[in-house]
Amino acid sequence: WYQRRVRGERYLDLYMRGRVLFGSWFEHVTQAFKKSLNNPRVLFLRYEDMKKDETGTVLKISEFLGKPITLERAQEIADLTTFNKMKKDPTANFEWAKILCNDGFDFVRKGVVGDYLNYFTKGAK
């Protein structure tokens, strides 16, 4: 799939089988989740929750790390790490992966919760 963009249900099939650039998301997340269930050194965050409350998420992370910060500083960090700013950052958007894909690959796509639903048929959803 490196040579051309694969979309829709064909991509879903490859994705479900772990046959995409970064391998099986399910395998990766399941392994990490199981290993960290009772580990106080692991913090799980959901993208949907981060999008709902970016500043609150920054505060949660700082508290988890034992590095409390002010609300003002959390707001500054949230602003510096918005989706649009991260998309423009070549290190966050895996610019190096574009070498493998010759058709406009973007690791950081849109940042819209649930946008994946626009790419699949009702049955694939």
Side-chain angles (χ1 to χ4, degrees):
W1 81 279
Y2 301 123
Q3 300 304 312
R4 59 185 167 81
R5 185 171 294 263
V6 178
R7 300 181 192 273
E9 290 190 50
R10 176 69 180 128
Y11 180 80
L12 178 62
D13 177 57
L14 293 170
Y15 180 81
M16 297 297 287
R17 291 188 291 134
R19 306 275 317 259
V20 293
L21 183 59
F22 297 103
S24 172
W25 178 86
F26 301 103
E27 194 173 303
H28 167 74
V29 171
T30 300
Q31 287 176 12
F33 182 73
K34 284 180 180 177
K35 288 181 180 179
S36 61
L37 274 175
N38 297 312
N39 187 340
R41 296 178 61 195
V42 175
L43 174 65
F44 275 99
L45 301 169
R46 290 176 2 118
Y47 183 72
E48 293 83 355
D49 297 334
M50 290 189 288
K51 288 291 284 185
K52 284 180 191 172
D53 185 8
E54 295 166 347
T55 301
T57 300
V58 171
L59 286 168
K60 186 175 186 176
I61 293 168
S62 72
E63 290 170 17
F64 175 77
L65 295 173
K67 303 287 184 184
I69 58 176
T70 65
L71 177 60
E72 181 180 271
R73 183 65 179 140
Q75 289 168 333
E76 290 172 12
I77 293 169
D79 180 58
L80 291 169
T81 57
T82 63
F83 181 84
N84 288 332
K85 288 185 180 172
M86 297 294 284
K87 184 170 179 67
K88 292 175 186 173
D89 181 342
T91 57
N93 200 13
F94 289 106
E95 288 289 320
W96 58 266
K98 290 184 179 189
I99 295 168
L100 301 174
C101 308
N102 61 6
D103 64 346
F105 169 84
D106 280 317
F107 182 77
V108 178
R109 246 177 10 99
K110 288 184 180 178
V112 176
V113 172
D115 184 59
Y116 71 95
L117 295 171
N118 295 318
Y119 294 86
F120 301 109
T121 65
K122 191 173 184 177
K125 293 176 186 177

